[in-house]
Amino acid sequence: MSLRIALSKGRIFDDTMPLLAAADIHPAESPETSRKLILPSTCGKVEFLIVRASDVATYVQHGGADLGVVGKDVLLEHGGEGLIEPLDLGIAACKLMVCGPANLDLSNTKRLRIATKYTACARSHFAASARQVEIIKLYGSMELAPLTGLADAIVDVVDTGNTLRANGLEALEHVADSTARLVVNRVSMKISHELIAPIVERLRAAVEER
Ligand code: ATP
Ligand code: PRP
C-alpha cells in the first residue's frame, strides 16, 4: 500500500521538495514537466497528488490524500476538520492582512465592503471586534478591488509588500501569521501509523536541520 501526499505546484512545492528529499522521498518524474496529476516516488511507497493550494486541506480531510502540505492561511479558512497538523514546515511564510488605501478608517461605523478569497477568516476577524462587513468573494488579483471601487479593503496574504506598494495600497490590520504545515488525515494517522510516523519524524529532523 502506498501513501498519498497532496501538494500544490508553485511556492509550496518548490520549498517542500528539499524537505521531502532530506526525508528520502523523491518524485520519480519531474513535476515541472509532467502533466500527470499523480506522480510516483522512486521508493514506490509514496505518490504525490498535484492539486490547487486551496484544495489540499479538502483532499486530506476526505481521505483523497493521506498527507498534505498546506499554508496555515488555507487551513484557517478550511477550519481543519478531520485533519491533524503535526508539523510546522516553516516555509512559505506570509501574513494574512486587511489591506487598503492608507487613509481608510477601518473603525468607521459604515458597513465596510471586504473583497477576499479568505471569506471565513475575514468574517471572523471583523466579527471579533463587532464590525459589520459585507464580504465579496474573489479568487485572485484581490488588490484590484479597492482600486476599482468593488470593495473598500481586502483580506489577502502579504509577504514582501511589493504587490501592495505597486498598487498604492497598505497593510492596515493583522489577521494571522502563516507558514506551510504538514497535515495528516485523522483516519490515515490511525490505520497507517507505521508508515506515516517515520515520515513525520524525518520531516521534523529535516526542518530542524535547515
Ligand atoms: P490557488 O492556486 O489554490 O488559488 P494560490 O495561488 O494562493 O492558491 P500559491 O500562490 O502557490 O497558491 O500559494 C500557496 C501558499 O503559499 C498560500 O496558501 C500561502 O500560505 C503562501 N503564500 C501565498 N502568497 C505568498 C507570498 N507572496 N509569499 C509567501 N508565501 C505566500
Ligand atoms: C500573493 C498574494 C499577493 C502577493 C503578496 O499572490 O495574493 O498578491 O502574493 O506577496 P508580496 O507581499 O511579496 O508582494 P500570488 O503571487 O500568489 O498570486 P495569486 O494569488 O494572485 O495567484
Side-chain angles (χ1 to χ4, degrees):
M1 193 189 88
S2 62
L3 289 175
R4 289 181 159 173
I5 305 183
L7 293 173
S8 57
K9 279 193 180 171
R11 45 176 69 84
I12 283 195
F13 195 90
D14 295 343
D15 291 349
T16 303
M17 275 301 123
L19 293 176
L20 288 171
D24 215 17
I25 299 170
H26 309 269
E29 291 176 43
S30 165
E32 308 295 335
T33 49
S34 177
R35 295 292 299 164
K36 285 186 186 167
L37 297 175
I38 303 181
L39 295 174
S41 64
T42 50
C43 67
K45 289 183 188 157
V46 172
E47 288 178 332
F48 299 97
L49 303 193
I50 307 301
V51 304
R52 287 284 294 265
S54 42
D55 290 336
V56 169
T58 308
Y59 266 89
V60 179
Q61 174 191 357
H62 295 288
D66 303 290
L67 301 99
V69 176
V70 57
K72 183 70 180 178
D73 54 335
V74 173
L75 267 183
L76 290 170
E77 184 65 19
H78 170 272
E81 197 188 329
L83 303 175
I84 300 169
E85 189 192 312
L87 197 52
D88 182 347
L89 299 174
I91 57 177
C94 54
K95 290 178 191 303
L96 200 54
M97 307 283 297
V98 183
C99 312
N103 61 359
L104 179 68
D105 179 5
L106 288 173
S107 57
N108 195 325
T109 45
K110 115 175 157 67
R111 192 162 185 245
L112 291 165
R113 277 172 306 148
I114 306 293
T116 186
K117 71 176 177 185
Y118 301 94
T119 55
C121 290
R123 222 177 277 289
S124 65
H125 175 75
F126 286 98
S129 48
R131 285 175 290 179
Q132 293 276 328
V133 289
E134 179 189 344
I135 304 287
I136 300 171
K137 169 87 183 183
L138 288 179
Y139 294 88
S141 299
M142 256 81 76
E143 293 83 3
L144 262 181
L147 304 181
T148 55
L150 178 71
D152 300 298
I154 61 175
V155 171
D156 194 12
V157 297
V158 179
D159 177 22
T160 61
N162 288 341
T163 311
L164 290 178
R165 269 188 296 279
N167 292 288
L169 302 174
E170 287 192 6
L172 303 172
E173 257 179 36
H174 180 265
V175 177
D177 290 331
S178 178
T179 44
R181 310 299 164 103
L182 180 71
V183 288
V184 184
N185 174 279
R186 251 178 216 290
V187 177
S188 299
M189 190 57 133
K190 282 199 187 123
I191 62 179
S192 303
H193 191 263
E194 280 171 26
L195 289 174
I196 293 174
I199 292 178
V200 174
E201 288 322 309
R202 276 184 278 153
L203 283 174
R204 193 187 305 282
V207 170
E208 282 167 8
E209 270 171 31
R210 227 162 24 115

